[in-house]
Amino acid sequence: MARPNDEVAALLQEYADLISITGGDAFKARVYEKAARAIGGHHADVSTLDVKGLKEIPNVGKSIAEKVVEYFSSGSVSAVEELRAKIPAGVRQLTAIPTLGPKKALVLYEELGISTTDELADAIHEERLRDLKGFGPKTEENILHGISLLQSSGDRVLIDVAMGLAEDIVAEMAQVTGCERCSYAGSLRRVRETIGDIDILVAARRAEPLMRAFTELPYVSEVIAHGEKKTSVRTSKGLQVDLRVVPPDSWGAAMQYFTGSKAHNIRTRELAVHQKLKLSEYGLFDTESGKKIVSETEEDVYARLGLPWIPPTLREDRGEIEAGLRGELPDLVQEKDIRGDLHTHTDLTDGLAPLAEMVAAAAERGYAYYAVTDHGPDMAMQRMTDERILAQRARVRELDGEYGKRGGRGGMRVLHGAELNIGPDGDVDWPPEFLAGFDLCVASVHSHFSQGREALTRRIVRACENPHVHIIGHPTTRIIGKRPGIDADLDAVFAACARTGTALEINSHPDRLDLRDEDILRARRHGVRFAVDSDAHAVIHLANLRYGVGTAQRGWLTGDDVINTWPLTRLRRFLEKA
Ligand code: DGT
Ligand code: CA
Ligand code: CA
Ligand code: ZN
């Protein structure tokens, strides 16, 4: 279930887009965009707030607050509806292509009468865009790429969307009489970056009451299939959820089977066959006698196959069976191992919460250290200056004094850092003397994504060679389903990180998850260290760390590979880059 905040954020963002398409005031569009982000990141449920409460959210003024109230009381906003009516449906269809902005979409519609993705692809292949002003071969290439991104992302959703809904359903089902156990399985349990459908498993003696309760959940819009063993529904947001009810003594076998992946299950079934056993969702059986051998827990099932319990994040047939048979599975990093977050923002730049709130929330999470890393001056929109960052440093030192003194548990050191911008040549925002004043620096690419492979590679390698750069932030800059990763020679980047003692970030934001699992596996072979960070721009984002940790696990990382599981003294030695 999408949070009401996300719904409103999407609506305001659409409004901003509609304003630009209809040639409205660019400043007004920006105002709505900012409000969309503020509401999306706000900690409190905006559907419970009145105009006064809404206006306390940064970047939300009276007229925006009133639109939000209107939305929750009537289900729509008249100003948005009016603009929607002005836009031909075809243009709106085209703007679903992530690499095509509203202005160009309108030109295509008005000049060439194009109103669907297919028509646009045809027009590009027939070179009909060549005569339009502002549409060069590079634009064509971008659009085609956007179309393929749109088609490949299909109906999959980001992990946080699926996780929120799944946790809600699990909590609901656990309340139903007769439910002995309940959990989600499938790709969600394996923490894949996108989720096709949600798989929920319940152990109960009688399936009927659970199936019925499931179909009666408020956000179910359609029952796709309703059977004895499995019920599938679609939610009002279009996501499919499968519920399977299994007998309590089959729980372990069913969890193993429905967690997958298919590739992993093929391997476990092969192992069973070689031992004259048969593995199904009901248990592990003797092939000849048909007698059930084990089924109650996943541990039992794996043990009988000669394997230790394999963490779900490894179950992709990427070597986990072989490693398990040899007794060499990695001791995977866990969320509880993380001692601090090393990439976070405040409202000094594009974050939403003030420094003191972010720090208090970090302490609440039990961190031993926490780095504040706002953007440097090279991102002009953030209006950073030396004075502003130094004033922040003074505040950070005060907070460090306050929080650091709370000895033992609850004691947290606050570090002052920055997120530097890796410029087109690999330069960063400040000269070495100034950078030396930070406790740590993250450096990331934020623009000039299509410089060409060699230039991009050289650029990031240069940043690694900077003794004041400790972590490369969101290394490929991809946005899942929206923007591909940059075309750099990642092996050269990984080698440079290993050589210079620069960590690679695993950015935990659900639409980034950058590095991704496969790249982590490769980087690890180069001997690189990693930092699993939230890149929080709001208090609620701090909790995204779980997705970064899941991604790190999918990349087979142990605590030792991840610098922010280390005690502060060891982390500080790493930051010396000696
Ligand atoms: P998704 O939903 O596309 O994100 O990915 P999964 O892995 O959740 O796939 P899904 O929902 O089709 O099935 C959940 C698990 O159930 C899957 O990982 C393995 C198991 N499973 C489902 N259908 C089959 C099947 O026909 N054969 C085998 N071996 N396993 C299956
Ligand atoms: Ca699934
Ligand atoms: Ca499924
Ligand atoms: Zn950042």
Side-chain angles (χ1 to χ4, degrees), residues 185-188 195-199 242:
S187 52
L188 190 60
I195 305 300
D197 68 13
I198 296 177
D199 301 280
D242 296 342

Side-chain angles (χ1 to χ4, degrees), residues 376-396:
D378 280 5
M379 290 184 72
M381 264 179 12
Q382 315 289 348
R383 298 205 182 82
M384 181 55 81
T385 61
D386 294 4
E387 294 70 34
R388 284 157 69 92
I389 199 98
L390 291 176
Q392 184 187 55
R393 182 173 304 160
R395 273 298 289 144
V396 164

